[in-house]
Amino acid sequence: MNQPTDDEQLLAELRAALSDQDPVPGTVTAAARAAYAWRSIDAELAALCYDSLLDDKDLAGVRSAGDAARMLSFEADALSVEISIEGARIIGQLDPPQAGEIEVRHRGGLILVPADELGRFACDSIQHGPVSLRCLTSSATPVVTDWIVL
């Protein structure tokens, strides 16, 4: 193999090498998607039922965008999660109130925060982008919220 003399030549050789590969069979792709769907089979999904950013459009003209926190509610059969988002900070509460641990999943990784006996929790330094919470309590199956975008 000849040594490439510039970046464009190197990229062209890489493209040629990769284009010679067989495509991924459809059965492999289907199996991968099915496996991904089972990633949180042990958790109950808490669906978004209220988002002040979407549901309060009539009030959006009354206040400026930076004045109020974004309020969200998620509901599952055994647990509800109420959160308030202000910048990079999430403040929340579990209902029914109970102690537990909250996994805040976001672009920057995973942050674990405790929920006190009243179900209250807070988390700072959340990066903008997709965010989801996984709530672990002693009295319920783990509950995972829908992904939202900050």
Side-chain angles (χ1 to χ4, degrees), residues 15-69:
R15 271 191 219 95
L18 292 174
S19 67
D20 290 343
Q21 300 298 317
D22 291 334
V24 177
T27 55
V28 172
T29 303
R33 288 177 195 229
Y36 183 74
W38 283 86
R39 74 197 180 287
S40 61
I41 193 64
D42 66 331
E44 182 180 358
L45 179 65
L48 178 65
C49 61
Y50 174 77
D51 183 345
S52 63
L53 184 66
L54 303 173
D55 296 340
D56 290 349
K57 287 190 180 210
D58 294 337
L59 297 176
V62 176
R63 61 179 185 235
S64 68
D67 286 351

Side-chain angles (χ1 to χ4, degrees), residues 51-101:
D51 183 345
S52 63
L53 184 66
L54 303 173
D55 296 340
D56 290 349
K57 287 190 180 210
D58 294 337
L59 297 176
V62 176
R63 61 179 185 235
S64 68
D67 286 351
R70 181 177 177 189
M71 307 298 289
L72 298 111
S73 296
F74 299 91
E75 289 188 14
D77 288 338
L79 189 71
S80 295
V81 183
E82 307 281 331
I83 63 172
S84 171
I85 301 170
E86 295 186 41
R89 181 173 173 81
I90 292 177
I91 299 171
Q93 183 161 9
L94 305 176
D95 186 28
Q98 57 196 292
E101 185 173 61

